[in-house]
Amino acid sequence: LEGGTRGALVFDQDEDVTAIGVFAQGQTELGGGVELSIGARYDRVEFDVDDDFIANGDESGDEIFDEFSPAVSLMWSPSPLFHLYGRFSTSFETPTTTEFANPSGGGGFNSSLDPQTAKAYELGAKGLLPGRLRYELVLYHVDVDDELVPFELASMPGRTFFRNAGSSTRRGVEAAVAAELAPGLTSTVSYTWSDLRFDRYRTPAGRFDGNRIPGAPRNQLFAELAYSHPWGFRAVWDALYVGHVHLNDANTAKEGSSLVSNLRLSWTLRKGPWEVTPFVGVNNLFDRAYSSNLRINAFGGRYFEPAPDRSLYGGVGVRLEFGEARDPQGEADLGRALSRALQRVASRPTRGGAIR
């Protein structure tokens, strides 16, 4: 579009992606409460583009990537209440067709873009303590080659392209605790500390060795308090704190920290196999100003996409059961709460925290 008016055709191509993956995993008991797991995956991904706009030349072509990714882990469980584990894994991530966009402005693929690969090391412990308290602690270190980094160009503002960083390192700690404070009342707290840096990264704009990877906060803290009454009433309050985030490779711009809270109320009514749940909720309960999305390395300082102000929503959920047994409340609720906490902290929509 040119000033809101449809202009001349400048781009027309058909893109096809064919992916084949083969995966195998096995595990065995070594004795003494030790379990060994070994897995491997082979991927072959082919990108094919057929350029139908040949006024500026035919840029049809294809790109083929393949990778073998092994993984191995050990878990020691001296009792059902405690588990200690270590894991080594590798990963392989190709660019998407959108990330393959050609920064030269023409069609075809960005032939200089390679997949990113990673080697990850984890050490963790999880268990259940007396008083119905469940915990999990994880230390991780990830070495990444050819990390995919977004950027924009002054000649095409608003479009996002990608390039490879030579190498980077990600390390951090994740911790979560879920406790039953009283019958029906559970509390969950999780914290993530991250140190994500470029080891070797040079672009036409400069050298960024040692800089923090943009888009990933150093500190995140999530807390949730949930109450469930036997009559079906449920209330959930949560809050997410996100520390400041660097917004460009040079680390010269950043988003300040934010603390956002949400509240949800529901009432579940059961009649035979039917279950009806009316609910109402408030997002951004205290009407804080923050960004729901950040554009990394955006041209002209346009990094921020503001989040909505305080908003109210509601609805009704309907469920029909076909004879399956419901999960018992106690320990299953604690497990779900712990899993929710770790997922919520990891859900920040930035590429900076994507590899784990």
Side-chain angles (χ1 to χ4, degrees):
L1 296 179
E2 299 175 354
T5 303
R6 183 174 180 178
L9 182 68
V10 296
F11 185 81
D12 183 13
Q13 68 183 30
D14 181 64
E15 301 166 353
D16 293 304
V17 182
T18 304
I20 299 174
V22 181
F23 176 80
Q25 181 172 339
Q27 58 187 39
T28 183
E29 299 285 346
L30 300 181
V34 179
E35 180 181 277
L36 171 67
S37 297
I38 299 177
R41 180 183 177 96
Y42 172 76
D43 289 281
R44 185 181 188 277
V45 184
E46 180 176 356
F47 294 83
D48 184 79
V49 59
D50 184 11
D51 187 6
D52 295 323
F53 184 78
I54 57 176
N56 59 352
D58 186 356
E59 296 182 282
S60 301
D62 58 31
E63 296 278 354
I64 299 176
F65 305 109
D66 65 329
E67 188 77 14
F68 176 73
S69 304
V72 60
S73 66
L74 276 173
M75 176 176 286
W76 177 49
S77 305
S79 82
L81 303 180
F82 177 74
H83 308 277
L84 180 67
Y85 62 90
R87 179 183 298 120
F88 167 76
S89 61
T90 60
S91 64
F92 166 67
E93 180 180 347
T94 69
T96 65
T97 53
T98 301
E99 293 169 348
F100 251 133
N102 195 342
S104 69
F109 289 129
N110 178 4
S111 59
S112 65
L113 197 61
D114 294 320
Q116 70 178 27
T117 58
K119 297 177 181 178
Y121 308 84
E122 291 186 35
L123 179 64
K126 56 185 177 180
L128 185 66
L129 295 176
R132 304 196 61 77
L133 187 147
R134 184 181 291 271
Y135 65 90
E136 184 167 356
L137 176 67
V138 181
L139 289 76
Y140 69 88
H141 178 101
V142 186
D143 294 316
V144 184
D145 289 322
D146 295 320
E147 176 151 356
L148 296 166
V149 181
F151 70 98
E152 293 184 6
L153 295 173
S155 58
M156 289 177 279
R159 290 198 63 187
T160 302
F161 303 97
F162 283 79
R163 58 191 169 211
N164 294 114
S167 62
S168 58
T169 299
R170 301 161 179 259
R171 52 179 173 263
V173 179
E174 296 178 350
V177 176
E180 185 177 19
L181 304 178
L185 181 64
T186 59
S187 174
T188 308
V189 178
S190 63
Y191 170 73
T192 297
W193 176 84
S194 305
D195 183 21
L196 285 60
R197 295 179 182 272
F198 295 118
D199 296 326
R200 187 181 72 258
Y201 182 29
R202 297 171 179 83
T203 75
R207 177 174 175 172
F208 306 117
D209 300 4
N211 283 10
R212 297 192 185 279
I213 297 175
R218 190 176 179 85
N219 296 284
Q220 291 190 85
L221 178 66
F222 172 74
E224 179 185 275
L225 191 64
Y227 174 71
S228 298
H229 193 276
W231 291 355
F233 173 74
R234 181 172 174 81
V236 180
W237 169 83
D238 67 64
L240 177 65
Y241 168 81
V242 179
H244 72 265
V245 180
H246 290 288
L247 301 173
N248 57 9
D249 295 336
N251 290 178
T252 56
K254 66 181 180 180
E255 162 83 329
S257 60
S258 63
L259 177 61
V260 181
S261 181
N262 307 297
L263 178 67
R264 177 185 169 98
L265 306 174
S266 64
W267 195 297
T268 299
L269 307 171
R270 298 184 178 92
K271 181 69 173 179
W274 290 93
E275 186 177 278
V276 179
T277 306
F279 60 89
V280 64
V282 183
N283 286 335
N284 195 2
L285 183 63
F286 300 111
D287 201 24
R288 298 296 180 87
Y290 72 104
S291 296
S292 61
N293 187 47
L294 300 171
R295 299 182 62 86
I296 305 305
N297 290 319
F299 168 73
R302 293 176 288 187
Y303 305 107
F304 311 98
E305 294 184 3
D309 296 333
R310 182 190 297 115
S311 57
L312 178 69
Y313 67 92
V316 178
V318 179
R319 178 183 177 191
L320 176 62
E321 295 185 349
F322 294 94
E324 75 275 13
R326 293 192 182 95
D327 290 338
Q329 288 295 313
E331 187 173 327
D333 280 351
L334 283 176
R336 284 193 291 267
L338 189 69
S339 176
R340 242 187 350 259
L342 288 172
Q343 291 172 4
R344 185 64 179 269
V345 167
S347 66
R348 184 76 171 179
T350 58
R351 177 172 284 279
I355 297 179
R356 274 300 313 287

